[in-house]
Amino acid sequence: MGELKRPGMSTREELVFMAKISEQTERFEDMIDYIKKIVANNADLSVEERNLLSVAYKNSVGSRRTAWRALRSIEQKEEAKGSKHLNLLREYKKKIEAELNSICQDILNLLDASLIKSASNNEGKVFFLKMKGDYFRYISEFAQGEQLSRASENALQAYKAASEAATKDLKTTDPIRLGLALNFSVFYYEVMNEPTKACSMAKQAFDDAIADIEHLDEDKYKDSTTIMQLIRDNLTLWTSELENEEGNDAGNVENL
């Protein structure tokens, strides 16, 4: 875990400390910078560092995803009434899309260049493959044409690789495996437009975890049961929509 310190270079411990300070002050772009300095050493991240990385990028991209969805809704309303400001709205939406794309490509490059191959255990590998699927999914939310096709296919392949590794090496009650099932099922529902597949995947993950609930590790109990509840919430929503034949993705939840 240690490394030689060059003049002007922070130690790994100092970088972790500053990443935590950045999180507490909600300076998520700074948080990304500190974590990237750790990753630059081609180090296998600890669980704590891995989670800090996830929080940094999730929050940085999350505010922009929220902004994009709000702009899309406003754009539709303005379009319906023939607003003269549509071009202004669309240019602003493009700005948000460019920021989203930049952040997503940044973490995807890190994942492919070092994080996935540097993972020293299968838990880490599943974690990072899931992240790869997630950030290609985020691109697919706003992408069009060929970019949408590429992002969707890349997300699918990453999620599949993560699922294969999780099924082989992680318990059905493991929060990383459950979070993967949650987000993979959201991908099938929202991006692939396959609600039946989404429901089947979510139900299987939930049922498998319930069957093994008595073997759930105590230190993972809260995380695992929270994600199981999110899976069940989606199942309830999706099943109701399938019965009513009224698709609506507004209420879907995903793993944080």
Side-chain angles (χ1 to χ4, degrees):
M1 296 286 286
E3 69 280 328
L4 294 174
K5 183 178 179 182
R6 298 192 298 272
M9 177 185 178
S10 299
T11 65
R12 188 165 182 161
E13 181 185 7
E14 288 170 343
L15 291 170
V16 169
F17 175 79
M18 289 307 301
K20 292 177 180 177
I21 294 299
S22 300
E23 178 184 8
Q24 292 170 28
T25 54
E26 298 186 7
R27 297 271 299 178
F28 297 110
E29 280 72 22
D30 290 343
M31 191 178 179
I32 287 174
D33 289 340
Y34 289 121
I35 294 297
K36 283 175 73 175
K37 288 177 181 177
I38 297 175
V39 176
N41 293 325
N42 293 319
D44 176 30
L45 299 188
S46 67
V47 172
E48 179 183 45
E49 291 163 349
R50 196 172 69 198
N51 289 335
L52 287 170
L53 173 92
S54 179
V55 167
Y57 278 97
K58 185 75 174 182
N59 280 280
S60 186
V61 82
S63 60
R64 291 166 174 87
R65 290 173 72 207
T66 299
W68 186 87
R69 287 173 174 172
L71 281 169
R72 181 180 61 173
S73 177
I74 294 169
E75 179 187 20
Q76 290 169 347
K77 292 174 183 175
E78 292 295 304
E79 192 173 32
K81 63 183 184 183
S83 172
K84 64 181 181 181
H85 299 305
L86 269 177
N87 285 339
L88 288 173
L89 273 174
R90 287 169 178 164
E91 284 301 313
Y92 191 51
K93 188 155 71 83
K94 284 182 182 179
K95 178 179 183 292
I96 303 300
E97 290 171 356
E99 292 178 6
L100 277 167
N101 191 63
S102 176
I103 297 167
C104 290
Q105 291 297 340
D106 187 41
I107 181 59
L108 288 168
N109 290 337
L110 277 181
L111 289 163
D112 279 339
S114 61
L115 290 171
I116 293 173
K117 62 186 179 184
S118 294
S120 61
N121 56 56
N122 288 321
E123 181 184 271
K125 181 179 179 182
V126 173
F127 184 94
F128 290 128
L129 283 169
K130 171 188 170 292
M131 278 191 77
K132 183 175 180 178
D134 288 342
Y135 283 86
F136 273 120
R137 173 165 60 89
Y138 300 155
I139 292 174
S140 73
E141 290 176 346
F142 63 83
Q144 297 178 349
E146 181 61 28
Q147 185 188 23
L148 172 58
S149 298
R150 286 197 310 270
S152 300
E153 180 60 25
N154 286 332
L156 179 62
Q157 294 308 315
Y159 280 138
K160 281 184 175 180
S163 294
E164 289 173 5
T167 300
K168 179 182 177 184
D169 298 306
L170 302 184
K171 293 180 180 179
T172 57
T173 53
D174 188 287
I176 295 176
R177 178 169 171 172
L178 286 167
L180 169 62
L182 173 64
N183 287 13
F184 198 179
S185 62
V186 168
F187 170 76
Y188 269 113
Y189 193 90
E190 292 186 348
V191 179
M192 303 300 286
N193 195 26
E194 296 184 30
T196 302
K197 175 72 173 178
C199 288
S200 174
M201 177 176 290
K203 186 177 187 303
Q204 186 70 55
F206 184 85
D207 290 347
D208 288 347
I210 284 291
D212 293 333
I213 196 74
E214 63 186 47
H215 304 300
L216 179 56
D217 296 337
E218 187 174 343
D219 61 333
K220 297 180 178 179
Y221 184 86
K222 182 178 179 181
D223 288 343
S224 295
T225 53
T226 297
I227 299 170
M228 288 172 69
Q229 182 61 54
L230 295 177
I231 291 173
R232 188 163 66 175
D233 289 346
N234 276 354
L235 267 174
T236 301
L237 176 67
W238 296 343
T239 302
S240 174
E241 289 174 352
L242 281 173
E243 290 172 353
N244 297 327
E245 295 184 353
E246 294 178 356
N248 180 4
D249 66 2
N252 298 342
V253 292
E254 59 187 67
N255 180 218
L256 298 179

